[in-house]
Amino acid sequence: MSSLKLGVEVVGAHDLLAKDGQGSFCPFVELEFDGQKCRTTTKEKDLSPVWNESFYFNVLDPNKLSSLPLEAFVYNHNKANNAKTCLGKVRLTAPSFVNYSDAVVLHYPLEKRSIFSRAKGELALKVFVTDDPSIKPSNPLPAMEPDVVPKSIPKEKNGKRHTFFHLPNAKQPQQQQQKVTPAPPQQQMNYGVHEMKSGPQASKVVNMFPGSSSQPFDYALKETSPFLGGGRIVGGRVIRGDRPTSTYDLVEQMRFLFVRVVKARDLPLKDATGSLDPYVEVKVGNYKGITKHYEKKQNPEWNQVFAFSRETVQSSVLEVVVKDKDLVKDDSIGFVRIDLHEVPTRVPPDSPLAPEWYRLEDKKGEKKKGELMLAVWYGTQADEAFPDAWHSDAIAPGDSTSVSPTYIRSKVYHSPRLWYVRVNVIEAQDLVPADKSRFPNAYVKVQIGNQILKTKPVQTRNMNPIWNEEFMFVAAEPFEDHLTFTVEDHAGPNKDETIGRTVIALNSIDRRADDRFVRTRWYNLEKSLSDAMDSDRTKKDKFHSRLHVCVCLDGGYHVLDESTQYSSDLRPTAKQLWKSSIGVLELGILNADGLQPMKTRDGKGTSDTYCVAKYGHKWVRTRTIVNSLNPKYNEQYTWEVYDTATVLTVGVFDNSQIGGSDNTRDNKIGKVRIRISTLETGRVYTHCYPLLVLHPSGVKKLGELHLAIRFSSTSMVNMMSQYSRPLLPKMHYKRPLSVIQQDILRHQAVNIVAARLGRAEPPLRREVVEYMSDANAHLWSMRRSKANFLRLTSVFSGLFSAGKWFGEVCTWKNPITTVLVHILFAMLVCFPELILPTVFLYMFLIGVWNYRYRPRYPPHMNTSLSCADAVSPDELDEEFETFPASKSSDIVRMRYDRLRSVAGKIQTVVGDIATQGERLQALLSWRDPRATTIFVLLCLVAAIVLYVTPFQMIALLAGFYVMRHPRFRHKTPSAPINFFRRLPARTDSML
């Protein structure tokens, strides 16, 4: 018997609906799981009862845990007639069943039990799964009155009382009552955003979801109930708190002390030469920030902002020190001390706080010459000074110079506007080769930046070769590269001679948003590149070779810079083709928890992490949190949504540009994909997403990312009409691109985007862009091939199950079912007009029935679906292999042989399918004259019989024959199957 148990702690309820007409009642809770029922005590006259009672249910079959719900019903006990009235229910499914170390108390809103019932209030539950053998399941007791309190109540060592009342369960035998050993006590956690801690991992991970789509608890999605700026999030709804709401309602408000150092005046000179290199040092406790210094300025201006987190401020005095670069370390020009208790609080949209002049003092508190203009206030991350401020969480205490502000600030990036450049090389005229003793073998090389394509070589006697080949390139605004045509003569192996070249500025090329005709042009070919780049084409030469081309910028396409399976934008390049937005997507990046150290600093493992989110053309990057394995970001961003069939991608990275790392590449920690169409409108999703990364040693969890997401629709009509429109712009269907073209162009688009974003400040590095865009997803992977094959079998599993069921019907395994199928079949044959209505009604009923089991959480990375939990080390090593291969010849030969084995099996299956098709063609091809004669005669007889016999009769006889009793069947195949298998195929003609 399995030792797995489901533990439920009924903490309490809040704001319940009164049922007795006097404003109070006697509530109790009944729990039901897999036929097992338990009941709490009854609380007298209490609308917000507190129970703190725990129950443990046996999980009889762990394989079925993912499909078993836990239901909690809140009842009111009426003592007058000893009846109970349902006040609401809570239904939890497998994603809510987590390990004890991950379990927290969540407040679930009560749902209606039926359409006509009423429900109000919340029920606080803590649900977890444990396999501790010392914990005994709650034993069933005889039915008893809810208000009767048992004489013996087990208690824990800490004095906490656990009272158990159970309803009898007919499925399990009556057992003697035993004392329940509770789970080991752990530190109480209030699961708000500001208190998320990384608890110790369980020593043994329980596999809650066995099978192809299962994965361990540690890799599962976890729903949270944080208290954000708009209130506490419970079940996707916002429960308003006492604090005022703000525009940052999807993140926890973080308090900061802002210090703006504006400028100074009349600073005292240190000597008669007037030399002075002033800078300002802002100190709060152990944290200090330093402005830039100016040389020989008595009235410098800095206008820099420093932000100190109030959680880390351990001082009541702000000290601003003006120093000279050339003075001794402990010496200074003057001080300004401000009592932090007197600092005002600013709440946007209030106007910025006006700075004030402060007189400098010496160490004894006496006034000195010189003044400093400062502005000091308390604010939150909603302050407009926050993005460009120097942050105290970006340095270690006592250090002010280890981190450059460039690499730690949060920024918003916009990827460049990408265009497809369509180039049609038609012909050339009057070519003059260097070697005039032979006819040139000419071809054209077309180049934009690093993109180079060539036509096929053409040899002609009249020096006017014709190619008529079309190419596609990717270009980004603003256009920095030119379109270059080079006509070359392939004189021999590794010997190409340039005949002429021409350069076209991309700004001068015609643009189109549809497939209208574009006028072709002739361009003169120049000998040198400088002459081709010369914009002055007015000079008249006696003779010029010419090139005939047709070039245009196609704005009717969407330039794919990511895979179409999880693209974040599907709009065309031309803005005049854009539709209005259908909604707004809001993302709150709260915090990361339990991150793995990515570097070593001062003998300790640590990480300097930041998050990157991508949706559409907008990329966002949070500030870098230094020296923290549990960083808190609490940054909120917004995107306009134009199509629900798009995906938001959020990644976490370690900033290797900060000291302490020998790696120049930012390490990836994990990413999360969220499809917009899976989100309910107006609901706030707060979940902890596991950060899973595939390494050569296997899949690893590097931490968890806590996000808050909300999708709001601005036009329900436009959003629903999106489902009837094409996924891509019209040009993708009028003039479609081949699959090979799409892959090449996508690779070029990712390179262009990475190059442009890498030039921003701070730069978004190439490895980040490639990881977020899945630039290498097209490369071969045995693991991914297996995963796709299992996905395919899962798609057709319904058909296989239906075929298996129909086979059981035909073999009369269940005679009653077979008879009912015969009756239904006869009804549909006699009344064929009922077939389609029956099918659609059946699908409607299935959809309505599945509504109660609909997914409540966004999809997330699944290790079992990806076949990452059962992949061999050699297959992982092959997946991380470079392209082209760099391993030894023996390893490459072994992998090639394995690939040949797999391809041989696929080749056999494809050949079998082709054989069956060729046998169908052989029925009337007279390849086998006797078989074709038999088939032709059977067709004649069938035509006569079908002409004189009603179709319903034929259908009934055929159906009854297929479902005939096994007594009338033979163990050998039927005559039609034998006839078909004897037909010839073209396998005899293959080498």
Side-chain angles (χ1 to χ4, degrees):
M1 182 177 178
S2 174
S3 62
L4 194 65
K5 300 174 187 66
L6 179 69
V8 183
E9 182 178 341
V10 183
V11 179
H14 174 69
D15 195 21
L16 297 178
L17 182 67
K19 287 287 186 179
D20 61 356
Q22 300 177 1
S24 62
F25 52 47
C26 304
F28 67 95
V29 178
E30 279 188 5
L31 302 173
E32 183 175 354
F33 176 77
D34 195 17
Q36 309 168 58
K37 294 184 179 181
C38 300
R39 183 173 58 196
T40 66
T41 55
T42 301
K43 299 296 181 179
E44 300 286 343
K45 304 289 185 179
D46 195 351
L47 288 173
S48 298
V50 177
W51 287 285
N52 284 327
E53 301 178 18
S54 299
F55 305 89
Y56 295 91
F57 298 94
N58 265 329
V59 180
L60 303 179
D61 188 359
N63 294 330
K64 297 182 179 179
L65 180 58
S66 59
S67 60
L68 294 176
L70 170 67
E71 293 183 320
F73 298 90
V74 182
Y75 290 103
N76 172 41
H77 178 231
N78 191 340
K79 294 184 178 180
N81 54 8
N82 196 23
K84 61 181 181 181
T85 306
C86 184
L87 306 174
K89 71 171 184 177
V90 172
R91 190 175 190 274
L92 304 180
T93 53
S96 299
F97 306 157
V98 298
N99 283 333
Y100 185 85
S101 59
D102 298 325
V104 294
V105 178
L106 295 180
H107 297 261
Y108 298 96
L110 293 177
E111 301 176 354
K112 297 180 180 180
R113 187 173 186 179
S114 62
I115 299 178
F116 303 101
S117 61
R118 297 175 60 191
K120 178 186 176 184
E122 303 170 1
L123 180 63
L125 299 175
K126 182 178 180 180
V127 184
F128 55 90
V129 176
T130 179
D131 61 346
D132 190 351
S134 62
I135 298 180
K136 304 299 181 182
S138 303
N139 299 303
L141 294 177
M144 58 185 302
E145 295 296 332
D147 55 337
V148 178
V149 180
K151 297 180 181 179
S152 176
I153 299 176
K155 295 186 178 181
E156 293 185 0
K157 294 180 181 181
N158 57 7
K160 184 178 177 180
R161 186 175 68 181
H162 290 257
T163 308
F164 307 100
F165 290 89
H166 309 271
L167 296 179
N169 184 7
K171 296 184 179 181
Q172 296 183 355
Q174 296 290 335
Q175 300 177 0
Q176 296 181 357
Q177 182 177 357
Q178 299 178 3
K179 183 177 180 179
V180 176
T181 304
Q186 296 199 5
Q187 183 179 0
Q188 186 70 19
M189 295 173 61
N190 180 13
Y191 205 58
V193 175
H194 56 287
E195 292 188 357
M196 291 184 62
K197 304 289 184 181
S198 177
Q201 299 296 331
S203 58
K204 179 180 180 181
V205 178
V206 183
N207 190 358
M208 182 177 65
F209 306 108
S212 60
S213 61
S214 64
Q215 57 182 356
F217 282 125
D218 208 27
Y219 298 165
L221 189 68
K222 301 169 187 175
E223 186 178 19
T224 61
S225 180
F227 195 95
L228 304 181
R232 182 169 293 280
I233 308 299
V234 178
R237 295 184 294 181
V238 181
I239 299 178
R240 301 294 177 184
D242 298 333
R243 69 176 65 179
T245 60
S246 65
T247 55
Y248 280 63
D249 59 344
L250 291 185
V251 293
E252 174 71 15
Q253 287 189 358
M254 300 182 67
R255 304 292 178 178
F256 290 92
L257 171 65
F258 290 95
V259 181
R260 181 186 295 274
V261 181
V262 184
K263 58 184 176 179
R265 65 183 180 185
D266 300 332
L267 295 179
L269 302 177
K270 65 180 180 180
D271 52 30
T273 61
S275 175
L276 183 67
D277 299 335
Y279 68 94
V280 176
E281 184 178 277
V282 183
K283 299 177 61 177
V284 180
N286 294 330
Y287 292 90
K288 64 179 179 179
I290 299 177
T291 66
K292 54 188 175 182
H293 73 276
Y294 290 97
E295 296 182 359
K296 299 181 181 181
K297 275 197 175 183
Q298 191 177 9
N299 301 315
E301 293 188 9
W302 295 282
N303 199 25
Q304 289 184 238
V305 181
F306 300 85
F308 299 89
S309 176
R310 290 192 64 175
E311 294 182 359
T312 59
V313 172
Q314 300 177 354
S315 175
S316 60
V317 177
L318 167 67
E319 191 174 83
V320 184
V321 187
V322 181
K323 293 187 175 183
D324 187 358
K325 182 183 177 182
D326 296 331
L327 290 179
V328 184
K329 181 178 180 181
D330 296 333
D331 202 356
S332 62
I333 299 176
F335 293 82
V336 173
R337 294 181 176 88
I338 299 176
D339 187 358
L340 295 182
H341 296 97
E342 305 298 329
V343 173
T345 300
R346 176 179 176 268
V347 180
D350 292 350
S351 298
L353 195 67
E356 302 179 19
W357 286 103
Y358 291 85
R359 188 77 175 269
L360 297 180
E361 301 176 352
D362 57 14
K363 294 183 178 180
K364 298 180 181 179
E366 298 178 357
K367 300 295 183 181
K368 296 183 62 176
K369 181 183 178 182
E371 292 180 305
L372 185 64
M373 179 177 282
L374 299 174
V376 184
W377 72 95
Y378 284 119
T380 66
Q381 68 267 45
D383 201 294
E384 61 269 11
F386 178 79
D388 295 326
W390 172 97
H391 294 277
S392 61
D393 55 8
I395 64 169
D399 186 9
S400 61
T401 60
S402 61
V403 180
S404 172
T406 303
Y407 295 105
I408 58 102
R409 289 173 178 166
S410 58
K411 288 296 180 181
V412 176
Y413 307 84
H414 284 274
S415 57
R417 189 181 177 193
L418 301 177
W419 290 80
Y420 279 149
V421 183
R422 187 183 296 272
V423 178
N424 186 8
V425 181
I426 303 174
E427 59 180 333
Q429 191 177 72
D430 300 331
L431 296 182
V432 181
D435 185 5
K436 299 182 179 180
S437 62
R438 64 177 187 84
F439 298 107
N441 191 17
Y443 66 92
V444 180
K445 182 174 67 175
V446 189
Q447 180 176 0
I448 298 180
N450 295 327
Q451 308 172 64
I452 300 176
L453 295 176
K454 300 178 181 179
T455 65
K456 296 179 180 179
V458 174
Q459 191 170 20
T460 179
R461 295 178 179 273
N462 57 4
M463 304 298 176
N464 299 325
I466 298 176
W467 295 281
N468 199 21
E469 295 186 29
E470 191 173 77
F471 305 102
M472 296 289 287
F473 297 87
V474 181
E477 287 186 343
F479 300 117
E480 299 177 350
D481 299 316
H482 292 78
L483 176 61
T484 304
F485 295 90
T486 305
V487 181
E488 297 185 353
D489 179 17
H490 184 62
N494 300 324
K495 185 180 180 182
D496 296 324
E497 299 176 353
T498 301
I499 298 177
R501 54 169 56 92
T502 184
V503 178
I504 303 175
L506 293 178
N507 288 321
S508 63
I509 297 176
D510 294 336
R511 307 186 184 192
R512 67 176 185 180
D514 49 18
D515 59 343
R516 63 180 176 85
F517 175 76
V518 178
R519 185 168 58 90
T520 62
R521 294 185 180 181
W522 287 91
Y523 293 93
N524 294 334
L525 295 177
E526 304 289 346
K527 288 293 183 181
S528 64
L529 183 61
S530 58
D531 292 340
M533 294 286 293
D534 188 6
S535 58
D536 185 10
R537 304 293 181 89
T538 59
K539 57 182 181 179
K540 301 296 184 181
D541 293 336
K542 295 182 179 179
F543 179 80
H544 265 299
S545 298
R546 299 194 303 170
L547 183 65
H548 191 197
V549 297
C550 179
V551 185
C552 69
L553 293 171
D554 267 334
Y557 291 92
H558 167 68
V559 180
L560 297 170
D561 59 345
E562 51 195 347
S563 177
T564 54
Q565 280 79 12
Y566 30 81
S567 179
S568 62
D569 187 22
L570 301 171
R571 292 174 295 172
T573 302
K575 291 185 176 181
Q576 60 266 31
L577 300 180
W578 290 5
K579 305 292 183 181
S580 58
S581 63
I582 61 174
V584 175
L585 177 65
E586 298 168 274
L587 170 67
I589 304 176
L590 303 180
N591 64 308
D593 188 40
L595 297 180
Q596 298 296 319
M598 306 300 291
K599 63 185 66 169
T600 302
R601 184 177 295 137
D602 297 332
K604 297 181 180 179
T606 185
S607 293
D608 309 320
T609 58
Y610 63 92
C611 297
V612 175
K614 178 189 185 303
Y615 185 77
H617 293 170
K618 182 178 176 181
W619 298 63
V620 299
R621 169 179 175 159
T622 67
R623 68 190 191 281
T624 300
I625 306 298
V626 179
N627 286 339
S628 177
L629 298 179
N630 300 285
K632 297 180 180 180
Y633 306 100
N634 286 307
E635 299 185 23
Q636 183 171 341
Y637 300 95
T638 304
W639 289 269
E640 286 187 328
V641 177
Y642 294 87
D643 198 320
T644 57
T646 49
V647 176
L648 167 70
T649 306
V650 184
V652 184
F653 302 88
D654 177 72
N655 196 334
S656 63
Q657 310 310 308
I658 299 176
S661 175
D662 297 332
N663 187 11
T664 58
R665 294 170 58 90
D666 289 354
N667 295 318
K668 56 186 179 183
I669 298 178
K671 65 181 173 183
V672 176
R673 293 196 199 102
I674 301 171
R675 186 169 292 275
I676 308 303
S677 59
T678 62
L679 304 179
E680 297 180 12
T681 305
R683 179 180 176 182
V684 179
Y685 292 84
T686 54
H687 294 85
C688 273
Y689 295 84
L691 297 174
L692 306 176
V693 176
L694 194 64
H695 286 274
S697 58
V699 64
K700 291 184 179 180
K701 178 183 177 182
L702 301 183
E704 293 181 345
L705 181 62
H706 194 189
L707 301 177
I709 305 166
R710 177 172 58 205
F711 170 58
S712 305
S713 173
T714 56
S715 176
M716 182 62 68
V717 176
N718 290 341
M719 183 175 64
M720 301 303 289
S721 64
Q722 284 281 346
Y723 288 88
S724 62
R725 297 175 183 172
L727 186 66
L728 294 172
K730 293 181 180 179
M731 282 294 291
H732 286 270
Y733 306 99
K734 289 185 176 180
R735 300 190 68 176
L737 304 175
S738 65
V739 176
I740 298 179
Q741 271 186 315
Q742 291 181 13
D743 289 339
I744 296 175
L745 294 174
R746 185 169 73 92
H747 178 70
Q748 297 296 341
V750 171
N751 288 337
I752 292 175
V753 172
R756 289 292 179 90
L757 296 182
R759 291 159 52 183
E761 193 71 21
L764 203 59
R765 300 179 64 83
R766 172 175 292 273
E767 59 269 17
V768 175
V769 176
E770 291 180 350
Y771 181 63
M772 296 288 288
S773 303
D774 275 319
N776 298 324
H778 63 286
L779 297 179
W780 162 256
S781 168
M782 179 69 75
R783 174 193 60 84
R784 195 177 292 116
S785 301
K786 292 179 180 179
N788 290 333
F789 177 76
L790 293 178
R791 289 173 55 204
L792 186 63
T793 57
S794 177
V795 168
F796 291 101
S797 61
L799 293 177
F800 298 153
S801 299
K804 182 179 178 181
W805 171 83
F806 185 71
E808 294 177 353
V809 169
C810 294
T811 57
W812 290 69
K813 184 175 182 179
N814 189 337
I816 298 177
T817 302
T818 303
V819 172
L820 293 177
V821 171
H822 278 73
I823 296 174
L824 178 62
F825 176 72
M827 291 177 58
L828 294 179
V829 170
C830 296
F831 303 97
E833 64 274 7
L834 297 179
I835 296 178
L836 290 179
T838 302
V839 171
F840 286 109
L841 180 61
Y842 180 67
M843 289 190 293
F844 168 78
L845 294 176
I846 292 177
V848 173
W849 177 260
N850 289 339
Y851 177 77
R852 59 183 299 187
Y853 305 107
R854 66 191 184 278
R856 301 298 180 94
Y857 311 116
H860 62 288
M861 303 292 182
N862 193 306
T863 56
S864 296
L865 181 65
S866 306
C867 292
D869 54 352
V871 62
S872 66
D874 181 68
E875 292 177 358
L876 281 175
D877 185 65
E878 180 185 16
E879 184 168 349
F880 285 93
E881 171 69 300
T882 59
F883 186 84
S886 59
K887 296 291 182 180
S888 63
S889 58
D890 294 338
I891 296 179
V892 174
R893 184 182 300 109
M894 183 271 294
R895 293 172 178 172
Y896 175 66
D897 292 340
R898 181 176 59 193
L899 183 60
R900 288 178 61 191
S901 175
V902 174
K905 297 177 182 179
I906 298 175
Q907 169 186 291
T908 302
V909 173
V910 173
D912 292 341
I913 296 175
T915 297
Q916 308 307 321
E918 290 169 353
R919 285 174 177 171
L920 286 175
Q921 295 176 347
L923 287 172
L924 297 173
S925 66
W926 295 92
R927 171 58 61 183
D928 185 344
R930 287 167 292 279
T932 304
T933 302
I934 295 173
F935 181 72
V936 170
L937 293 177
L938 287 177
C939 290
L940 177 61
V941 173
I944 297 173
V945 173
L946 292 176
Y947 181 77
V948 299
T949 307
F951 177 77
Q952 287 87 348
M953 182 64 66
I954 299 295
L956 278 175
L957 292 176
F960 289 159
Y961 175 78
V962 172
M963 295 184 290
R964 66 191 182 278
H965 195 273
R967 181 178 299 179
F968 304 103
R969 295 179 181 271
H970 299 283
K971 294 184 179 181
T972 59
S974 61
I977 295 179
N978 294 331
F979 176 78
F980 183 77
R981 289 177 177 175
R982 291 177 177 274
L983 292 173
R986 302 182 67 183
T987 54
D988 304 334
S989 302
M990 292 187 62
L991 294 175

